Amino acid sequence: MASFLPEELRTKVKERLRDARFLAREMRASTRKGQDSQVPEGVDHAAGPTGLVTAIADFSDSALSALESVAIGLLSSDPKAHFGNASAYPLSRYFDGESASAQTMFARDCYFAAKQILLAKGISNPHLSEELFAEAHRLAAKGQQPPPGKVADPDASLDDISLRAAVMATAILRARPVEAPRHIDDAANGRMLDSNVYSAAALALAMAVASYHEDVTVDDDIYPGVCAAVDARYALFAKALASQDRPEDLARVFADLIPHLP
């Protein structure tokens, strides 16, 4: 890890590589869509200018993915956190400790978990910002920290956990770290889901479950069950998150679900 570099700079390097890769993949997808609609049947899609553009995009995607892997290995404070299943940690990991390192962990963990959530929803090229997840942590931290002189309660009640999770979800929605796509096409239910609403609800609910149930560990893959719950209650989550100045509304939705998950 390049520990001599400030954490903010390391994140910026990773972000710019991800931005370039996203554009390469979008260019490739757009070019192939144009080929499918315009090139007559039997014509070689790899020939001509469009084939060249696709080849360049393919190369760029592969090269940038390799560079991102190298960057993660060199720049990330915890490279292992970028691979495998997304882990759900208690809220205390991010909001009861030293703010700088907690913000870094929050941004990194939420970025990876949200990306896995969107991939599972059928989004092939999600574009998320680790920097904006860090901004969400900053927005949420004031409402999460115990008052001066008061130690955080390790045995927080269901209502306390639900409210803390609601504050966190509201902060994520304000930061809007999912930059593309804006919506998830839930064709099976005939609706469009706001990507940031969905991700904020799923991330906060998963952390609330991990905070409430002592037997939930980081090795437990609880996100499929959490996402199923968000699917079932999406309209309630969207309505509650719309009133961003009233996290209590969202906390009640969380409190109804947490005891029954994972």
Side-chain angles (χ1 to χ4, degrees):
M1 179 185 71
S3 56
F4 58 89
L5 293 176
E7 187 64 45
E8 182 179 355
L9 180 57
R10 292 185 234 169
T11 300
K12 285 185 180 297
V13 172
K14 290 185 291 181
E15 290 277 270
R16 301 297 79 80
L17 286 171
R18 290 163 177 163
D19 290 345
R21 184 181 61 183
F22 171 77
L23 290 174
R25 289 178 175 177
E26 287 293 286
M27 181 174 66
R28 179 178 60 192
S30 177
T31 301
R32 285 179 174 168
K33 184 177 180 180
Q35 283 181 323
D36 292 341
S37 62
Q38 298 177 16
V39 177
E41 185 177 352
V43 174
D44 184 4
H45 284 216
T50 55
L52 177 60
V53 171
T54 300
I56 292 172
D58 285 342
F59 174 78
S60 299
D61 181 14
S62 299
L64 290 165
S65 294
L67 280 173
E68 186 194 9
S69 296
V70 172
I72 287 172
L74 292 175
L75 302 175
S76 177
S77 54
D78 185 4
K80 292 181 180 179
H82 295 268
F83 304 98
N85 291 328
S87 298
Y89 296 93
L91 291 159
S92 58
R93 171 178 168 90
Y94 310 108
F95 299 108
D96 292 349
E98 191 271 316
S99 59
S101 61
Q103 185 178 85
T104 298
M105 290 190 296
F106 180 88
R108 181 193 65 215
D109 294 346
C110 285
Y111 172 89
F112 181 65
K115 183 177 180 180
Q116 296 300 99
I117 288 168
L118 293 173
L119 289 171
K121 294 296 290 182
I123 306 301
S124 60
N125 187 26
H127 190 211
L128 304 93
S129 171
E130 196 171 331
E131 291 177 304
L132 290 177
F133 274 119
E135 171 64 9
H137 182 274
R138 187 190 67 78
L139 293 171
K142 291 182 180 179
Q144 297 284 351
Q145 293 289 352
K150 181 179 178 182
V151 179
D153 183 5
D155 300 314
S157 68
L158 174 62
D159 288 342
D160 290 337
I161 291 170
S162 299
L163 184 56
R164 295 184 78 188
V167 169
M168 175 194 137
T170 299
I172 291 176
L173 186 58
R174 284 176 175 163
R176 300 195 73 84
V178 181
E179 299 182 323
R182 295 290 182 89
H183 294 88
I184 302 167
D185 185 3
D186 184 17
N189 295 297
R191 59 185 181 176
M192 298 293 284
L193 311 177
D194 184 295
S195 299
N196 279 287
V197 168
Y198 192 93
S199 299
L203 291 169
L205 180 57
M207 290 186 196
V209 169
S211 302
Y212 182 74
H213 294 286
E214 293 182 355
D215 57 339
V216 172
T217 71
V218 297
D219 294 325
D220 294 328
D221 185 13
I222 71 171
Y223 275 102
V226 164
C227 288
V230 175
D231 285 330
R233 303 286 185 94
Y234 176 79
L236 289 177
F237 280 118
K239 181 179 179 181
L241 278 164
S243 57
Q244 294 189 15
D245 57 340
R246 289 188 52 80
E248 297 84 2
D249 294 345
L250 180 60
R252 283 192 286 271
V253 182
F254 282 139
D256 288 341
L257 290 171
I258 291 168
H260 307 291
L261 294 168

